[in-house]
Structures are given as C-alpha cells and as structure tokens.
Amino acid sequence: MYLEKLTFMRLLDKSSPEFLYQQIIDFVEKQEQSGALRAGDKLPSLRKLSRQFEISVPTVKQAYIELERQGTISARPQSGYYLKAKQARTLKPMRAKWSCCEPAEVSCRSLIEQVYDAVHLPDSVALGISNPVNAHPPDKALARLMRSVLSKNAEKAVSYGPVNGDPKLRLNLAFRYQEQGVAINHDDIIITSGAQEALSIALQCVAQRGDIIAVESPCYFGLIELIETLGMKVLEVYTCTEDGVCVEDLEKVISKHPVKACLFSTAISNPLGSMMTDEQRQQMVTLLEKHDIPLIEDEVYSDIYFSEKRPLPAQLYSEKGLVITCSSFSKTAAPGYRVGWLLPGKFEEAAKRIKRAQSCSTSMLPQWTLTDYIMSGEYDRHLHVLRKTLRYNCERMRALIAEHFPSEVCISKPQGGSVLWVRCRSHVDTSHFFSTAIEQGVSFAPGQIFSPTGKYKNFMRISYGVQWNAGVEQAIATLGRLVSDYPVPVSKI
Ligand SMILES: Cc1ncc(COP(=O)(O)O)c(C=O)c1O
C-alpha cells in the first residue's frame, strides 16, 4: 500500500512550475497510451486520486473538467468519470439516394443459416447473434423461481395452457402498457412463442401470399426470412442511422407501391439501433391509419434504451386498431424460454384463431416463472442493470473496433439494443471472410443478410451483448485484421 502510494506520488512533481492539474492530465494520458486505461474504463474517483497523490480534490476535479472539455473523458451522473472512445468514427445519418427499392425475394439463405449455426460452435466468440441478456444473465434468479413454481404446480406445468396464455402474465403485461398510457385490457393480449411467432401471426392477420410488406433497411434477417417464408414480398424503406424511417419518405413509398402492411421497429431497430422520436412515431401511425395500412410494431428492443425514458409504443397512437404490437422477453430476460406476446388491435379474432391453429398454446412453466419474476420486482431491477451494462459494453466495443479496424471504418452509435453496425470501405465484401473468421474463433453477421437485395455487402453487425473478457478483445482484433487484410482492387489503390 505504502509502496503504491510512493509510486503515485513520484509521478507528480510538486516543485515543478507545471500546474498540478496539468500533471494529472498527463498522468491520465500516459495511462491511456500504455494501455493501463482503456476506453470505457472508469477513472479513479476524485477523492481516491486526491488521496493517492496527496493533493486537493478541487485540483483533481479541475483536471477531470479539462479532460472532459477536451473530449477525453465523460462524466456519467451518479457514477463517475469514464475514458471515452476517442477514435470511433460514427456512421453519420446521410440523406438517402433512394427511399425504397422494388419488392424483392430473399437470396442469401445459406449465409443466414451459417450465422445461426455459428452461435453454437464450441470455443468460438459469437458476435453474430443479438443476445443482450448475455451481458447480464438473470439465470440464477430465474432458476430459483422456476424451481419454486415447479414445486407448487408440477402437474399443471406439463399440461396444455390457455391458448391466449397465462392470465396473470397477461395482467402484468397489460399493467405495464397502461403505465405508458396504452388503454389495453389483459384479454386483448395473446402470449406467443417468442416475438417471432407474434410477428408471424401479425403478418398472417393482415396480408396474404404475394402481398408487399415494407420493412426498415437494413432489416433484421429473421424478419426478411419470415416474410419470404409466408410467400410475401419485402419492400426496403430507407432508414436513417439515428432517427429511423422518415415519415415523408414513407409517404412517397406508399404512394408508389401497394404496401399491404409495414413491419417496423420504430423504438430501437436492429441492426441500426435507430430510434424515432415519439412525435415521429405518432405522425407515422396517423399517416398509415389514414391510408388503412396496418403497422406491425416490433418492440423487442424497446426496453433496452440508453435514453432517459422508454420510447412510447406506437400502439398508444392508434385510433383505428391498425397497430399490432409484437414483443417478447427474449432480449430482456430469457431467449430460451420462448415467451413473447401480441397486442392484436382490431385483428383479435383472426390472431387467436391463427395462434390456436399454429401452436395451440405457449409453454406454461416459463410463463409462470416470468410472472413471478415481474411480480417480485426483480425484473425491473434486472432491466436497470442490463441497460447500464449494455450501454457500457457499447462504448467499450466501439472503442475496441476503432482501435483494431482500419481508420476509414464507421460505426453506428445506437440508441439502445445490443449491436453495432459497422461500415467498411466499399470494396470489402464481409461475407468473403465469414468462414475464415469462424476458423479463427469468431463469428459476426455479414451485412449482406440484412437486405433481400444484397445492399450491405461492405457492412457487418457485431454484438456487444457479451460477457466482457480477453476473448472478446481478441475476437475484435481478429476481425480487425481480416478487414485490414482485405485485398484492395487496383482501381482503389
Ligand atoms: C428485431 C427482432 N425482432 C424479432 C426477433 C425475434 O425475437 P424472439 O427471439 O422473441 O422470437 C429478434 C431476434 O433477434 C429481433 O432482433
């Protein structure tokens, strides 16, 4: 302890004409250069540093304020000071050269399959699948609650449940929506097998084979595949990296194409992490309802926001019942439980019939476990920590990519969720080194699979929903090397 203190004190020269606060600044910068402090790391508190250097708290504070002004560190309320990701180039919102494409069918199924398969490879760092819960898994609490549920309800837990799902879970979900102003009754909610089943039911309620479904572009590949599997066509709508779909663009799109429904994640999209403002969301619902076009709202990431407050559900603004909300516990608690839900709006009858025909009911044991999890208050406490952890991971991952990838690479700055959208130089086709990356122990999602028309070949999606360790840092270094080593065509040299 004493030695440590001496070492610290030797780093300051109190007889030097240089101001003490400037010496603290130099100290932080040296720590950063040597790698002892990495972007995203928390700096010692004002009090701790003042004790270690035997100087006053205001002197350390002056240094931190200056470092903050220079953009080296940032203050987080009630948390402290953190080293910022200095070099990360942010993917800027650009005015689109296009607002939408022609309706299309999906082309890259085998690549999608490989991305899913890669998640289960042993000894591999899986950065290709978005699993935010990985960053802060609530597995122990859920296992305890599940044991308690089983001990009370072993017989019923293995039986068929109500088609609509557990009434108590529906009550709790209704209550959560009511808190956001949505007038919803628990009878209006249908529990599904994950959001994917909710989305499938929603699509079948509003459209048929051959119909056109508008989606954000880039769009989560699972949705593109789902639409195609139902025999419908995908219409890509340009989506701003920060603000989501632009309502004026959407107006042009629906005047040009006979869009049967829109499937959007207006709160937090995947892969962009973009977020429409509540006002834009309301304008979108008004526009679509004016044209009698249903909006399927994919809300799976809405509870993992980095802003002060949760984005409001589009459901809140619906006057004609044309908004169908789909969500799940997959991104917040337990993807393996496969528990999601559907707010079917005016399509209730059809939705219940399709759910009954499709899967009869959703497994009761995970539903009861999640109900107890919510009612104990643990779920909300968990969400609070999960959001904080993901926000921290996001900054760290941006910094790590900036450190290891070529400097021209631009990285999204998501408003929530668990993925980064990374743009490489235009000649790079990220699918070309997908297999090599897997051989070298890391997987990612190549950009190509986020568009049915192969628009995003030079992009990649990287997940920060991870337990941070040296393996993650090495995995990013590997990806950075693969991007840096990508051959440059003669015309671009
Ligand atoms: C945008 C989006 N929607 C829906 C889903 C499917 O969610 P679930 O696992 O609950 O079926 C995912 C899963 O990755 C997703 O990213």
Side-chain angles (χ1 to χ4, degrees), residues 204-402:
Q204 292 173 71
C205 283
V206 299
Q208 294 179 344
R209 293 186 81 76
D211 283 341
I212 296 173
I213 310 297
V215 299
E216 284 140 340
S217 183
C219 175
Y220 163 54
F221 49 89
L223 302 184
I224 299 177
E225 257 207 329
L226 174 63
I227 296 170
E228 198 220 20
T229 304
L230 293 170
M232 300 163 189
K233 287 192 180 129
V234 174
L235 180 70
E236 298 170 90
V237 179
Y238 169 75
T239 308
C240 170
T241 42
E242 286 175 9
D243 307 325
V245 169
C246 162
V247 181
E248 288 97 66
D249 280 353
L250 184 62
E251 197 161 11
K252 284 188 211 135
V253 170
I254 59 177
S255 69
K256 188 166 169 229
H257 293 278
V259 171
K260 198 69 188 192
C262 295
L263 197 175
F264 294 150
S265 300
T266 63
I268 290 149
S269 66
N270 172 9
L272 287 178
S274 61
M275 188 199 279
M276 288 180 100
T277 62
D278 292 340
E279 292 73 29
Q280 285 171 324
R281 196 171 302 113
Q282 179 168 18
Q283 280 172 25
M284 175 183 281
V285 174
T286 308
L287 170 76
L288 292 176
E289 290 207 329
K290 189 172 122 200
H291 292 270
D292 286 323
I293 298 175
L295 168 65
I296 301 173
E297 175 188 32
D298 181 347
E299 269 225 295
V300 285
Y301 292 101
S302 299
D303 280 313
I304 319 179
Y305 51 90
F306 296 160
S307 48
E308 285 294 303
K309 68 176 209 20
R310 188 193 190 280
L312 291 170
Q315 189 65 241
L316 177 67
Y317 308 114
S318 174
E319 289 185 355
K320 288 188 169 177
L322 290 176
V323 176
I324 306 182
T325 304
C326 302
S327 193
S328 72
F329 291 103
S330 303
K331 307 298 175 188
T332 55
Y337 280 13
R338 309 305 301 136
V339 177
W341 62 90
L342 176 71
L343 273 52
K346 72 174 219 179
F347 304 96
E348 199 175 327
E349 279 302 310
K352 282 182 186 162
R353 181 176 42 77
I354 297 167
K355 166 67 190 172
R356 200 166 54 239
Q358 206 161 271
S359 62
C360 189
S361 63
T362 304
S363 177
M364 292 307 284
L365 184 55
Q367 288 188 62
W368 284 327
T369 307
L370 288 164
T371 306
D372 284 358
Y373 194 40
I374 297 175
M375 291 181 70
S376 67
E378 284 181 81
Y379 180 55
D380 280 320
R381 286 196 292 278
H382 157 76
L383 277 180
H384 182 73
V385 180
L386 180 66
R387 281 194 287 266
K388 255 177 115 170
T389 311
L390 285 167
R391 198 173 155 177
Y392 177 53
N393 276 8
C394 174
E395 249 184 67
R396 258 182 124 168
M397 192 64 102
R398 290 186 88 242
L400 203 60
I401 294 173

Side-chain angles (χ1 to χ4, degrees), residues 333-474:
Y337 280 13
R338 309 305 301 136
V339 177
W341 62 90
L342 176 71
L343 273 52
K346 72 174 219 179
F347 304 96
E348 199 175 327
E349 279 302 310
K352 282 182 186 162
R353 181 176 42 77
I354 297 167
K355 166 67 190 172
R356 200 166 54 239
Q358 206 161 271
S359 62
C360 189
S361 63
T362 304
S363 177
M364 292 307 284
L365 184 55
Q367 288 188 62
W368 284 327
T369 307
L370 288 164
T371 306
D372 284 358
Y373 194 40
I374 297 175
M375 291 181 70
S376 67
E378 284 181 81
Y379 180 55
D380 280 320
R381 286 196 292 278
H382 157 76
L383 277 180
H384 182 73
V385 180
L386 180 66
R387 281 194 287 266
K388 255 177 115 170
T389 311
L390 285 167
R391 198 173 155 177
Y392 177 53
N393 276 8
C394 174
E395 249 184 67
R396 258 182 124 168
M397 192 64 102
R398 290 186 88 242
L400 203 60
I401 294 173
E403 189 180 329
H404 291 286
F405 280 50
S407 60
E408 327 80 60
V409 155
C410 290
I411 314 164
S412 63
K413 203 164 187 347
Q415 315 273 337
S418 64
V419 291
L420 292 175
W421 185 237
V422 179
R423 187 181 71 205
C424 306
R425 283 181 70 188
S426 58
H427 66 275
V428 178
D429 183 338
T430 58
S431 68
H432 285 175
F433 54 79
F434 180 73
S435 309
T436 317
I438 288 187
E439 280 159 26
Q440 298 185 11
V442 50
S443 58
F444 65 95
Q448 192 187 332
I449 63 177
F450 293 85
S451 156
T453 51
K455 258 194 198 59
Y456 302 104
K457 286 196 163 79
N458 59 322
F459 284 75
M460 59 206 295
R461 191 190 74 174
I462 296 177
S463 168
Y464 53 83
V466 291
Q467 295 264 330
W468 207 273
N469 57 35
V472 172
E473 307 209 353
Q474 197 160 6

Side-chain angles (χ1 to χ4, degrees), residues 77-99:
Q78 280 146 24
S79 179
Y81 288 89
Y82 290 80
L83 197 67
K84 267 172 80 172
K86 234 190 325 199
Q87 318 93 314
R89 279 165 48 135
T90 300
L91 201 53
K92 291 276 177 253
M94 287 180 295
R95 204 49 224 147
K97 290 193 202 81
W98 55 284
S99 60

